[in-house]
Amino acid sequence: MPRNAASFADALNGFNSDSDHNSGASLRIAMVAGESSGDLLGSRVIRSLRAQFPDRKLKLEGIGGAAMQGEGFDSLYPMERLAVMGLIEPLGRLPELLRIRRDLYRRWDESPPAFFLGIDAPDFNLALARRLRKGGLRTAQLVSPTVWAWRQGRVATVARSVDSLLCLFPFEPPFYDEVSLSTTFVGHPLAAELRQVPTRESVRQKLGIDADAPVVALLPGSRGSEVAQLGQSFIEAGRMLRTRDPRRQLIMPAASSERLQQCRELLRGASAESEIRLIEGQSRDAMIAADVVVLASGTATLEAMLLQRPMVIGYRVARMSWALMSRLAVTKFVGLPNILAGGPVVPELLQDALSPSALALEAEILLAHGEDQVKALQPSIAAMERDFDAALGPALEALLALERAH
């Protein structure tokens, strides 16, 4: 076992008061992920824990999606209930969200796990972590809130809520220099995952796509609210591109069975079922197969960057949410590639600027000159080089070894 894994295991063995140091003793850990990208991160955390504790019975519970559940995680509530975007849209679910958070707090306050790890979903997780921490439970957050983009006042909120913050991007830790908080750049697992991927040719063969056809992938988001806001514009943009060149093939991966049905209804309503191929999952394959990717702002933009696929970003939220977000914003960009690059390398069509014709125009330019964008993003790709799995163990070890003052 590598040194870091061993020391992490020793720290957990020493901390977990519910068990002896005997092989086979159980270790209970609480985690909450709020959407599909967090679910994938959570599954990596679980695999790392299982590798480090082959002789321990892990009890992993909280909220997670299919990826975490596939690793043996017990999701106490459907993750979909937490996946809502914007500032105003969550208000419709506020009573339900408060009830879920209250129930989780009571469960873990009455029967404390070894620690609580929030994975993204900061508006839900930080409030929960703060209450648990006040009761003596050690807490951590994997994925910093986007304090570098807007609502920088959350820096103090994070510091009050968790013992440790694990950051995915190299520019994030300095934002917390003025507060008393342990921050660690652990890297993003996608950086290692995407170093070796199947060839475009093999993926196209797998998906039944012509080897020589120009291909555009349409990814309107993993949340129902995102697909509702973006889906129709993405579909119409795709149809425009195909009208200009019938050889072009359009593919739309749906993040889940729920999104599959939602996208199917949108395609049916637009009479575009024969023009756009809809598939469940396989978003990475769709991006690998594509010459250009049209996608919602979010983790998928980082994935497209690391896959070195030209992209155009589209995003829209409710008008009131946009008005509030615009006032609180501290960066010109919403796309991670542009934030990493420090400039407008990737086209961003936001709110009223988002239209089918604008999306189609930007995609058309990229179909002809996409290599320029890929070249400009090479320094950003290099900056993301960090072994997530190797960095995660020591970061959590530091959390568990921390002596708390009560």
Side-chain angles (χ1 to χ4, degrees):
M1 181 180 293
R3 184 191 64 81
N4 285 338
S7 56
F8 181 31
D10 291 342
L12 272 176
N13 280 326
F15 172 77
N16 185 31
S17 60
D18 293 336
S19 66
D20 298 322
H21 297 295
N22 298 331
S23 174
S26 65
L27 176 63
R28 184 163 160 258
I29 298 170
M31 293 188 281
V32 171
E35 56 183 284
S36 58
S37 59
D39 182 41
L40 292 174
L41 285 171
S43 69
R44 293 289 292 260
V45 172
I46 293 171
R47 286 198 296 273
S48 177
L49 288 168
R50 291 200 184 284
Q52 293 173 31
F53 299 100
D55 299 325
R56 301 289 297 274
K57 181 180 179 181
L58 296 182
K59 295 180 179 180
L60 309 167
E61 63 177 54
I63 299 178
M68 292 172 69
Q69 292 175 50
E71 298 293 338
F73 184 82
D74 181 15
S75 188
L76 305 173
Y77 298 90
M79 187 183 71
E80 176 72 14
R81 304 313 302 163
L82 272 60
V84 59
M85 68 178 185
L87 290 177
I88 303 302
E89 294 88 334
L91 295 179
R93 288 192 194 166
L94 186 59
E96 179 187 13
L97 294 172
L98 292 176
R99 176 181 58 80
I100 292 173
R101 193 161 65 191
R102 182 175 61 249
D103 291 348
L104 291 175
Y105 168 74
R106 287 174 177 169
R107 179 186 182 91
W108 295 329
D109 183 59
E110 293 171 2
S111 178
F115 65 90
F116 168 74
L117 176 65
I119 305 173
D120 210 350
D123 291 328
F124 184 92
N125 279 327
L126 291 177
L128 175 59
R130 188 158 56 252
R131 290 192 70 190
L132 291 170
R133 189 173 186 237
K134 286 179 179 178
L137 187 66
R138 301 181 187 200
T139 61
Q141 174 76 7
L142 174 58
V143 184
S144 168
T146 54
V147 296
W148 33 267
W150 66 304
R151 291 171 61 195
Q152 283 197 350
R154 290 179 294 174
V155 166
T157 301
V158 176
R160 289 195 304 269
S161 303
V162 297
D163 297 289
S164 180
L165 176 65
L166 312 181
C167 301
L168 302 187
F169 300 104
F171 56 78
E172 291 176 320
F175 281 90
Y176 297 89
D177 285 347
E178 301 303 316
V179 296
S180 178
L181 176 65
S182 170
T183 60
T184 305
F185 169 48
V186 295
H188 201 294
L190 284 175
E193 252 179 62
L194 300 181
R195 288 193 191 107
Q196 292 185 329
V197 296
T199 63
R200 189 193 312 250
E201 292 72 24
S202 65
V203 172
R204 286 193 175 193
Q205 184 177 20
K206 171 186 172 182
L207 295 176
I209 297 173
D210 293 345
D212 299 325
V215 176
V216 177
L218 307 171
L219 285 76
S222 61
R223 301 167 175 167
S225 51
E226 287 175 324
V227 174
Q229 288 279 4
L230 306 175
Q232 186 174 350
S233 293
F234 280 34
I235 290 169
E236 290 303 318
R239 297 180 77 178
M240 289 178 180
L241 290 167
R242 188 171 170 84
T243 297
R244 292 169 187 165
D245 184 350
R247 296 181 305 114
R248 292 170 177 165
Q249 297 191 22
L250 309 173
I251 185 168
M252 177 179 282
S256 64
S257 58
E258 292 84 4
R259 299 290 76 75
L260 183 72
Q261 181 59 32
Q262 187 179 12
C263 290
R264 183 177 288 126
E265 291 172 0
L266 288 173
L267 289 171
R268 187 180 301 120
S271 300
E273 294 168 290
S274 63
E275 299 176 80
I276 299 175
R277 182 177 172 191
L278 180 63
I279 58 175
E280 183 174 358
Q282 303 181 84
S283 61
R284 182 172 300 172
D285 282 347
M287 284 192 273
I288 292 173
D291 295 290
V292 169
V293 182
V294 179
L295 73 177
S297 177
T299 305
T301 64
L302 177 67
E303 190 166 1
M305 182 189 81
L306 294 170
L307 288 171
Q308 305 194 49
R309 292 297 181 267
M311 74 188 97
V312 53
I313 298 170
Y315 211 66
R316 182 188 293 126
V317 294
R319 286 195 175 276
M320 192 172 294
S321 286
W322 179 254
L324 291 172
M325 292 168 70
S326 298
R327 290 182 181 181
L328 297 170
V330 294
T331 179
K332 297 179 181 179
F333 313 110
V334 302
L336 288 168
N338 287 335
I339 293 169
L340 284 161
V345 178
V346 175
E348 295 184 358
L349 300 173
L350 311 177
Q351 208 62 12
D352 293 339
L354 175 63
S355 68
S357 59
L359 283 171
L361 176 60
E362 295 292 352
E364 194 78 60
I365 293 171
L366 291 172
L367 283 165
H369 304 291
E371 67 277 1
D372 294 339
Q373 183 188 107
V374 172
K375 182 178 180 180
L377 287 173
Q378 291 306 308
S380 301
I381 294 172
M384 288 301 300
E385 287 295 325
R386 177 66 63 95
D387 190 328
F388 176 81
D389 294 316
L392 182 64
L396 289 177
E397 174 192 345
L399 165 71
L400 293 167
L402 186 65
E403 291 187 6
R404 293 286 309 281
H406 298 288

